[in-house]
């Protein structure tokens, strides 16, 4: 019997924020929270989940009660070393190549970490600088040119809609 490899998923900070968000009457936020929770309950147990020191730092921001919940949810997660020269090289190439704005260097670093460590998926709700269908081709091209494979950069909702592509149907 063949051993099935688990999907390697880097969960960027926005994932943890929606997973631990306060209940809200705002429908667009509630939908993201529900999709994130569904992904966490249905898909995450069959994946290897990774974070980075950037995630550790960013989850501490905001409401102290929610920050504590976010920190608690990270317990036991493997945190990937963000100080590798390759991570810095890829992040710099993403910003200098205009795939990610210079002002959003941390977003470029999240993508770089996922690429350098060979993640299959980068899960995020950041559709402005990460899961942006307009900039994704440029992101993938830059990462490929540097000799790495670009992970699938996707929201939890989109993952759930396409889960058969990942063999999670």
């Amino acid at each position: 019997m063949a051993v099935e490899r688990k999907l390697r998923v880097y969960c960027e900070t926005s994932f943890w924020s929606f997973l631990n968000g306060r209940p809200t009457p705002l429908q667009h936020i509630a939908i993201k929270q529900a999709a994130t929770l569904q992904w966490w309950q249905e898909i995450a147990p069959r994946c290897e989940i990774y974070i980075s020191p950037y995630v550790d730092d960013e989850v501490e921001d905001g409401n102290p009660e929610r920050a504590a919940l976010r920190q608690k949810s990270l317990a036991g997660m493997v945190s990937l070393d963000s100080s590798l020269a390759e991570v810095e090289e890829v992040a710099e190439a993403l910003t200098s190549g205009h795939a990610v704005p210079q002002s959003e260097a941390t977003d470029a670093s999240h993508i770089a970490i996922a690429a350098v460590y060979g993640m299959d998926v980068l899960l995020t709700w950041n559709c402005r600088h990460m899961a942006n269908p307009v900039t994704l081709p440029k992101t993938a091209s830059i990462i490929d040119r540097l000799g790495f494979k670009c992970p699938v950069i996707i929201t939890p909702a989109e993952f759930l809609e396409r889960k058969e592509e990942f063999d999670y149907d």
Side-chain angles (χ1 to χ4, degrees):
M1 183 174 158
V3 176
E4 194 172 308
R5 183 178 78 83
K6 288 186 171 189
L7 203 63
R8 294 168 42 92
V9 180
Y10 178 88
C11 292
E12 181 266 335
T13 311
S14 62
F15 173 87
W16 303 104
S17 294
F18 281 97
L19 183 64
N20 295 286
R22 176 175 292 139
T24 178
L26 300 175
Q27 187 176 18
H28 69 287
I29 294 174
I31 289 169
K32 290 178 179 180
Q33 289 173 327
T36 304
L37 181 60
Q38 182 182 353
W39 190 93
W40 184 248
Q41 292 173 334
E42 293 179 13
I43 307 297
R46 297 181 279 166
C47 298
E48 293 177 15
I49 309 294
Y50 297 87
I51 60 170
S52 71
Y54 293 109
V55 174
D56 285 323
D57 291 343
E58 290 175 328
V59 298
E60 293 177 4
D61 294 342
N63 176 291
E65 177 185 312
R66 291 291 151 186
L69 287 173
R70 290 189 296 271
Q71 289 169 330
K72 185 177 180 181
S73 68
L74 297 181
M77 296 293 146
V78 175
S79 185
L80 303 170
D81 183 1
S82 60
S83 67
L84 296 178
E86 293 92 342
V87 170
E88 293 177 25
E89 177 187 3
V90 172
E92 172 58 32
L94 290 170
T95 56
S96 65
H98 306 290
V100 178
Q102 294 279 344
S103 61
E104 304 300 329
T106 300
D107 291 347
S109 294
H110 284 297
I111 297 168
I113 290 165
V116 168
Y117 282 95
M119 297 291 111
D120 300 304
V121 173
L122 187 162
L123 211 56
T124 183
W125 280 108
N126 182 335
C127 296
R128 183 172 234 178
H129 306 124
M130 291 188 211
N132 181 324
V134 173
T135 60
L136 277 174
K138 187 181 288 190
T139 297
S141 175
I142 290 168
I143 290 170
D144 291 346
R145 187 181 75 239
L146 294 172
F148 298 99
K149 181 180 171 282
C150 187
V152 175
I153 303 174
I154 194 169
T155 67
E158 189 177 3
F159 187 105
L160 290 167
E161 289 173 12
R162 296 172 48 193
K163 64 185 176 182
E164 71 282 347
E165 295 174 38
F166 299 97
D167 293 326
Y168 285 92
D169 50 350

mmCIF file of all heavy atoms in Angstrom, residues 90-128:
data_model
loop_
_atom_site.group_PDB
_atom_site.id
_atom_site.type_symbol
_atom_site.label_atom_id
_atom_site.label_comp_id
_atom_site.label_asym_id
_atom_site.label_seq_id
_atom_site.Cartn_x
_atom_site.Cartn_y
_atom_site.Cartn_z
ATOM 1 N N VAL A 90 14.215 35.911 -2.788
ATOM 2 C CA VAL A 90 12.920 35.786 -3.463
ATOM 3 C C VAL A 90 12.013 36.957 -3.085
ATOM 4 O O VAL A 90 11.366 37.553 -3.949
ATOM 5 C CB VAL A 90 12.251 34.428 -3.144
ATOM 6 C CG1 VAL A 90 10.827 34.379 -3.695
ATOM 7 C CG2 VAL A 90 13.074 33.268 -3.707
ATOM 8 N N ALA A 91 11.975 37.308 -1.807
ATOM 9 C CA ALA A 91 11.136 38.431 -1.367
ATOM 10 C C ALA A 91 11.551 39.723 -2.067
ATOM 11 O O ALA A 91 10.695 40.487 -2.543
ATOM 12 C CB ALA A 91 11.213 38.588 0.150
ATOM 13 N N GLU A 92 12.845 39.959 -2.152
ATOM 14 C CA GLU A 92 13.340 41.167 -2.832
ATOM 15 C C GLU A 92 12.982 41.146 -4.315
ATOM 16 O O GLU A 92 12.584 42.164 -4.882
ATOM 17 C CB GLU A 92 14.859 41.283 -2.654
ATOM 18 C CG GLU A 92 15.521 42.382 -3.471
ATOM 19 C CD GLU A 92 14.975 43.792 -3.199
ATOM 20 O OE1 GLU A 92 14.552 44.076 -2.059
ATOM 21 O OE2 GLU A 92 14.965 44.604 -4.149
ATOM 22 N N ALA A 93 13.087 39.990 -4.938
ATOM 23 C CA ALA A 93 12.737 39.885 -6.362
ATOM 24 C C ALA A 93 11.239 40.142 -6.576
ATOM 25 O O ALA A 93 10.848 40.751 -7.580
ATOM 26 C CB ALA A 93 13.121 38.517 -6.895
ATOM 27 N N LEU A 94 10.409 39.699 -5.643
ATOM 28 C CA LEU A 94 8.963 39.923 -5.769
ATOM 29 C C LEU A 94 8.622 41.406 -5.669
ATOM 30 O O LEU A 94 7.758 41.892 -6.404
ATOM 31 C CB LEU A 94 8.204 39.130 -4.705
ATOM 32 C CG LEU A 94 8.191 37.612 -4.898
ATOM 33 C CD1 LEU A 94 7.630 36.923 -3.661
ATOM 34 C CD2 LEU A 94 7.397 37.226 -6.143
ATOM 35 N N THR A 95 9.303 42.121 -4.780
ATOM 36 C CA THR A 95 9.020 43.556 -4.661
ATOM 37 C C THR A 95 9.674 44.343 -5.789
ATOM 38 O O THR A 95 9.034 45.216 -6.384
ATOM 39 C CB THR A 95 9.436 44.115 -3.283
ATOM 40 O OG1 THR A 95 10.810 43.844 -3.054
ATOM 41 C CG2 THR A 95 8.581 43.526 -2.167
ATOM 42 N N SER A 96 10.921 44.044 -6.114
ATOM 43 C CA SER A 96 11.574 44.792 -7.188
ATOM 44 C C SER A 96 10.959 44.486 -8.546
ATOM 45 O O SER A 96 10.988 45.320 -9.451
ATOM 46 C CB SER A 96 13.086 44.530 -7.207
ATOM 47 O OG SER A 96 13.350 43.179 -7.531
ATOM 48 N N GLY A 97 10.369 43.298 -8.688
ATOM 49 C CA GLY A 97 9.699 42.925 -9.935
ATOM 50 C C GLY A 97 8.246 43.351 -9.985
ATOM 51 O O GLY A 97 7.526 43.014 -10.923
ATOM 52 N N HIS A 98 7.804 44.076 -8.967
ATOM 53 C CA HIS A 98 6.459 44.656 -8.896
ATOM 54 C C HIS A 98 5.336 43.611 -8.849
ATOM 55 O O HIS A 98 4.201 43.906 -9.217
ATOM 56 C CB HIS A 98 6.217 45.646 -10.034
ATOM 57 C CG HIS A 98 7.261 46.707 -10.100
ATOM 58 N ND1 HIS A 98 7.374 47.707 -9.150
ATOM 59 C CD2 HIS A 98 8.280 46.902 -10.978
ATOM 60 C CE1 HIS A 98 8.412 48.475 -9.451
ATOM 61 N NE2 HIS A 98 8.974 48.011 -10.550
ATOM 62 N N ALA A 99 5.647 42.408 -8.348
ATOM 63 C CA ALA A 99 4.592 41.424 -8.105
ATOM 64 C C ALA A 99 3.901 41.748 -6.783
ATOM 65 O O ALA A 99 2.718 41.478 -6.610
ATOM 66 C CB ALA A 99 5.179 40.018 -8.066
ATOM 67 N N VAL A 100 4.670 42.321 -5.861
ATOM 68 C CA VAL A 100 4.175 42.764 -4.554
ATOM 69 C C VAL A 100 4.727 44.175 -4.345
ATOM 70 O O VAL A 100 5.905 44.415 -4.609
ATOM 71 C CB VAL A 100 4.666 41.822 -3.421
ATOM 72 C CG1 VAL A 100 4.198 42.308 -2.064
ATOM 73 C CG2 VAL A 100 4.202 40.379 -3.657
ATOM 74 N N PRO A 101 3.894 45.114 -3.881
ATOM 75 C CA PRO A 101 4.400 46.477 -3.668
ATOM 76 C C PRO A 101 5.553 46.525 -2.660
ATOM 77 O O PRO A 101 5.585 45.745 -1.702
ATOM 78 C CB PRO A 101 3.186 47.235 -3.112
ATOM 79 C CG PRO A 101 2.003 46.434 -3.504
ATOM 80 C CD PRO A 101 2.464 45.002 -3.557
ATOM 81 N N GLN A 102 6.485 47.435 -2.887
ATOM 82 C CA GLN A 102 7.619 47.630 -1.967
ATOM 83 C C GLN A 102 7.134 47.843 -0.540
ATOM 84 O O GLN A 102 7.769 47.401 0.408
ATOM 85 C CB GLN A 102 8.454 48.837 -2.399
ATOM 86 C CG GLN A 102 9.168 48.683 -3.713
ATOM 87 C CD GLN A 102 10.468 47.910 -3.604
ATOM 88 O OE1 GLN A 102 11.014 47.715 -2.533
ATOM 89 N NE2 GLN A 102 10.959 47.459 -4.738
ATOM 90 N N SER A 103 6.005 48.522 -0.378
ATOM 91 C CA SER A 103 5.467 48.829 0.951
ATOM 92 C C SER A 103 4.929 47.597 1.668
ATOM 93 O O SER A 103 4.615 47.661 2.854
ATOM 94 C CB SER A 103 4.358 49.874 0.833
ATOM 95 O OG SER A 103 3.298 49.366 0.040
ATOM 96 N N GLU A 104 4.822 46.475 0.968
ATOM 97 C CA GLU A 104 4.260 45.239 1.540
ATOM 98 C C GLU A 104 5.309 44.131 1.564
ATOM 99 O O GLU A 104 5.044 42.988 1.189
ATOM 100 C CB GLU A 104 3.022 44.808 0.742
ATOM 101 C CG GLU A 104 1.958 45.872 0.647
ATOM 102 C CD GLU A 104 1.416 46.334 1.996
ATOM 103 O OE1 GLU A 104 1.384 45.524 2.949
ATOM 104 O OE2 GLU A 104 1.025 47.521 2.097
ATOM 105 N N ALA A 105 6.491 44.470 2.042
ATOM 106 C CA ALA A 105 7.613 43.525 2.050
ATOM 107 C C ALA A 105 7.308 42.254 2.847
ATOM 108 O O ALA A 105 7.773 41.166 2.492
ATOM 109 C CB ALA A 105 8.867 44.203 2.590
ATOM 110 N N THR A 106 6.521 42.370 3.907
ATOM 111 C CA THR A 106 6.194 41.177 4.696
ATOM 112 C C THR A 106 5.339 40.218 3.871
ATOM 113 O O THR A 106 5.520 38.998 3.951
ATOM 114 C CB THR A 106 5.479 41.555 6.007
ATOM 115 O OG1 THR A 106 6.349 42.397 6.769
ATOM 116 C CG2 THR A 106 5.141 40.328 6.833
ATOM 117 N N ASP A 107 4.433 40.750 3.057
ATOM 118 C CA ASP A 107 3.639 39.883 2.186
ATOM 119 C C ASP A 107 4.556 39.141 1.207
ATOM 120 O O ASP A 107 4.376 37.947 0.957
ATOM 121 C CB ASP A 107 2.592 40.687 1.423
ATOM 122 C CG ASP A 107 1.493 41.226 2.329
ATOM 123 O OD1 ASP A 107 1.405 40.785 3.498
ATOM 124 O OD2 ASP A 107 0.722 42.089 1.867
ATOM 125 N N ALA A 108 5.532 39.838 0.663
ATOM 126 C CA ALA A 108 6.504 39.194 -0.227
ATOM 127 C C ALA A 108 7.271 38.113 0.524
ATOM 128 O O ALA A 108 7.556 37.044 -0.030
ATOM 129 C CB ALA A 108 7.458 40.237 -0.804
ATOM 130 N N SER A 109 7.572 38.367 1.780
ATOM 131 C CA SER A 109 8.299 37.370 2.584
ATOM 132 C C SER A 109 7.459 36.129 2.832
ATOM 133 O O SER A 109 7.984 35.008 2.819
ATOM 134 C CB SER A 109 8.753 37.986 3.905
ATOM 135 O OG SER A 109 9.713 38.988 3.664
ATOM 136 N N HIS A 110 6.160 36.290 3.076
ATOM 137 C CA HIS A 110 5.290 35.115 3.241
ATOM 138 C C HIS A 110 5.348 34.245 1.980
ATOM 139 O O HIS A 110 5.514 33.024 2.066
ATOM 140 C CB HIS A 110 3.838 35.545 3.482
ATOM 141 C CG HIS A 110 3.545 36.062 4.846
ATOM 142 N ND1 HIS A 110 3.675 35.298 5.990
ATOM 143 C CD2 HIS A 110 3.095 37.269 5.263
ATOM 144 C CE1 HIS A 110 3.308 36.010 7.050
ATOM 145 N NE2 HIS A 110 2.968 37.222 6.628
ATOM 146 N N ILE A 111 5.215 34.879 0.829
ATOM 147 C CA ILE A 111 5.258 34.137 -0.436
ATOM 148 C C ILE A 111 6.620 33.475 -0.613
ATOM 149 O O ILE A 111 6.713 32.307 -1.003
ATOM 150 C CB ILE A 111 4.939 35.066 -1.623
ATOM 151 C CG1 ILE A 111 3.518 35.624 -1.511
ATOM 152 C CG2 ILE A 111 5.137 34.332 -2.955
ATOM 153 C CD1 ILE A 111 3.211 36.770 -2.476
ATOM 154 N N ALA A 112 7.673 34.213 -0.317
ATOM 155 C CA ALA A 112 9.030 33.690 -0.481
ATOM 156 C C ALA A 112 9.272 32.473 0.410
ATOM 157 O O ALA A 112 9.851 31.478 -0.030
ATOM 158 C CB ALA A 112 10.045 34.788 -0.168
ATOM 159 N N ILE A 113 8.838 32.545 1.648
ATOM 160 C CA ILE A 113 9.012 31.412 2.570
ATOM 161 C C ILE A 113 8.298 30.182 2.022
ATOM 162 O O ILE A 113 8.859 29.083 1.992
ATOM 163 C CB ILE A 113 8.502 31.776 3.978
ATOM 164 C CG1 ILE A 113 9.439 32.798 4.619
ATOM 165 C CG2 ILE A 113 8.361 30.539 4.863
ATOM 166 C CD1 ILE A 113 8.860 33.502 5.839
ATOM 167 N N ALA A 114 7.055 30.369 1.574
ATOM 168 C CA ALA A 114 6.292 29.242 1.037
ATOM 169 C C ALA A 114 6.992 28.635 -0.182
ATOM 170 O O ALA A 114 7.039 27.412 -0.328
ATOM 171 C CB ALA A 114 4.874 29.685 0.697
ATOM 172 N N ALA A 115 7.548 29.475 -1.033
ATOM 173 C CA ALA A 115 8.235 28.977 -2.231
ATOM 174 C C ALA A 115 9.551 28.285 -1.882
ATOM 175 O O ALA A 115 9.819 27.172 -2.351
ATOM 176 C CB ALA A 115 8.485 30.128 -3.207
ATOM 177 N N VAL A 116 10.361 28.924 -1.078
ATOM 178 C CA VAL A 116 11.691 28.378 -0.747
ATOM 179 C C VAL A 116 11.572 27.033 -0.020
ATOM 180 O O VAL A 116 12.363 26.120 -0.248
ATOM 181 C CB VAL A 116 12.511 29.398 0.077
ATOM 182 C CG1 VAL A 116 13.755 28.773 0.677
ATOM 183 C CG2 VAL A 116 12.869 30.599 -0.801
ATOM 184 N N TYR A 117 10.572 26.894 0.822
ATOM 185 C CA TYR A 117 10.399 25.655 1.571
ATOM 186 C C TYR A 117 9.544 24.623 0.836
ATOM 187 O O TYR A 117 9.229 23.576 1.389
ATOM 188 C CB TYR A 117 9.813 25.940 2.957
ATOM 189 C CG TYR A 117 10.855 26.458 3.917
ATOM 190 C CD1 TYR A 117 11.026 27.820 4.118
ATOM 191 C CD2 TYR A 117 11.681 25.589 4.621
ATOM 192 C CE1 TYR A 117 11.980 28.306 4.989
ATOM 193 C CE2 TYR A 117 12.636 26.056 5.498
ATOM 194 C CZ TYR A 117 12.785 27.420 5.678
ATOM 195 O OH TYR A 117 13.737 27.886 6.550
ATOM 196 N N GLY A 118 9.177 24.908 -0.398
ATOM 197 C CA GLY A 118 8.473 23.930 -1.211
ATOM 198 C C GLY A 118 7.062 23.613 -0.762
ATOM 199 O O GLY A 118 6.594 22.480 -0.914
ATOM 200 N N MET A 119 6.368 24.620 -0.247
ATOM 201 C CA MET A 119 4.980 24.405 0.146
ATOM 202 C C MET A 119 4.131 24.138 -1.103
ATOM 203 O O MET A 119 4.381 24.706 -2.160
ATOM 204 C CB MET A 119 4.414 25.634 0.868
ATOM 205 C CG MET A 119 5.101 25.985 2.183
ATOM 206 S SD MET A 119 4.782 24.773 3.478
ATOM 207 C CE MET A 119 6.420 24.046 3.616
ATOM 208 N N ASP A 120 3.141 23.286 -0.964
ATOM 209 C CA ASP A 120 2.205 23.035 -2.057
ATOM 210 C C ASP A 120 1.211 24.189 -2.179
ATOM 211 O O ASP A 120 0.813 24.547 -3.286
ATOM 212 C CB ASP A 120 1.430 21.737 -1.805
ATOM 213 C CG ASP A 120 2.344 20.534 -1.710
ATOM 214 O OD1 ASP A 120 3.110 20.293 -2.676
ATOM 215 O OD2 ASP A 120 2.316 19.843 -0.677
ATOM 216 N N VAL A 121 0.818 24.733 -1.016
ATOM 217 C CA VAL A 121 -0.232 25.745 -0.965
ATOM 218 C C VAL A 121 0.160 26.848 0.005
ATOM 219 O O VAL A 121 0.733 26.576 1.071
ATOM 220 C CB VAL A 121 -1.572 25.111 -0.502
ATOM 221 C CG1 VAL A 121 -2.646 26.160 -0.261
ATOM 222 C CG2 VAL A 121 -2.052 24.060 -1.493
ATOM 223 N N LEU A 122 -0.149 28.087 -0.348
ATOM 224 C CA LEU A 122 -0.102 29.217 0.576
ATOM 225 C C LEU A 122 -1.553 29.636 0.751
ATOM 226 O O LEU A 122 -2.190 30.077 -0.207
ATOM 227 C CB LEU A 122 0.728 30.361 0.013
ATOM 228 C CG LEU A 122 0.998 31.547 0.959
ATOM 229 C CD1 LEU A 122 2.170 32.371 0.450
ATOM 230 C CD2 LEU A 122 -0.195 32.422 1.192
ATOM 231 N N LEU A 123 -2.066 29.474 1.960
ATOM 232 C CA LEU A 123 -3.462 29.791 2.247
ATOM 233 C C LEU A 123 -3.539 31.186 2.845
ATOM 234 O O LEU A 123 -2.870 31.479 3.839
ATOM 235 C CB LEU A 123 -4.001 28.755 3.235
ATOM 236 C CG LEU A 123 -5.467 28.400 3.172
ATOM 237 C CD1 LEU A 123 -5.874 27.912 1.791
ATOM 238 C CD2 LEU A 123 -5.790 27.343 4.210
ATOM 239 N N THR A 124 -4.351 32.049 2.231
ATOM 240 C CA THR A 124 -4.419 33.446 2.645
ATOM 241 C C THR A 124 -5.770 34.055 2.289
ATOM 242 O O THR A 124 -6.431 33.589 1.357
ATOM 243 C CB THR A 124 -3.303 34.274 1.970
ATOM 244 O OG1 THR A 124 -3.358 35.622 2.441
ATOM 245 C CG2 THR A 124 -3.411 34.265 0.457
ATOM 246 N N TRP A 125 -6.134 35.085 3.012
ATOM 247 C CA TRP A 125 -7.272 35.919 2.637
ATOM 248 C C TRP A 125 -6.779 37.242 2.062
ATOM 249 O O TRP A 125 -7.575 38.132 1.791
ATOM 250 C CB TRP A 125 -8.191 36.167 3.839
ATOM 251 C CG TRP A 125 -9.087 34.993 4.083
ATOM 252 C CD1 TRP A 125 -9.006 34.097 5.116
ATOM 253 C CD2 TRP A 125 -10.175 34.564 3.274
ATOM 254 N NE1 TRP A 125 -9.975 33.142 4.994
ATOM 255 C CE2 TRP A 125 -10.725 33.409 3.866
ATOM 256 C CE3 TRP A 125 -10.758 35.034 2.100
ATOM 257 C CZ2 TRP A 125 -11.809 32.720 3.336
ATOM 258 C CZ3 TRP A 125 -11.841 34.350 1.573
ATOM 259 C CH2 TRP A 125 -12.351 33.207 2.188
ATOM 260 N N ASN A 126 -5.488 37.402 1.885
ATOM 261 C CA ASN A 126 -4.934 38.626 1.329
ATOM 262 C C ASN A 126 -5.002 38.540 -0.199
ATOM 263 O O ASN A 126 -4.106 38.003 -0.840
ATOM 264 C CB ASN A 126 -3.486 38.817 1.801
ATOM 265 C CG ASN A 126 -2.870 40.092 1.294
ATOM 266 O OD1 ASN A 126 -3.268 40.627 0.265
ATOM 267 N ND2 ASN A 126 -1.876 40.583 2.005
ATOM 268 N N CYS A 127 -6.086 39.049 -0.739
ATOM 269 C CA CYS A 127 -6.296 39.006 -2.188
ATOM 270 C C CYS A 127 -5.779 40.256 -2.885
ATOM 271 O O CYS A 127 -5.828 40.368 -4.101
ATOM 272 C CB CYS A 127 -7.778 38.806 -2.495
ATOM 273 S SG CYS A 127 -8.393 37.220 -1.906
ATOM 274 N N ARG A 128 -5.258 41.174 -2.112
ATOM 275 C CA ARG A 128 -4.701 42.387 -2.690
ATOM 276 C C ARG A 128 -3.253 42.161 -3.138
ATOM 277 O O ARG A 128 -2.872 42.570 -4.238
ATOM 278 C CB ARG A 128 -4.759 43.509 -1.659
ATOM 279 C CG ARG A 128 -4.273 44.828 -2.195
ATOM 280 C CD ARG A 128 -4.540 45.913 -1.222
ATOM 281 N NE ARG A 128 -5.281 46.936 -1.944
ATOM 282 C CZ ARG A 128 -5.726 48.027 -1.416
ATOM 283 N NH1 ARG A 128 -5.585 48.244 -0.138
ATOM 284 N NH2 ARG A 128 -6.342 48.908 -2.153
#
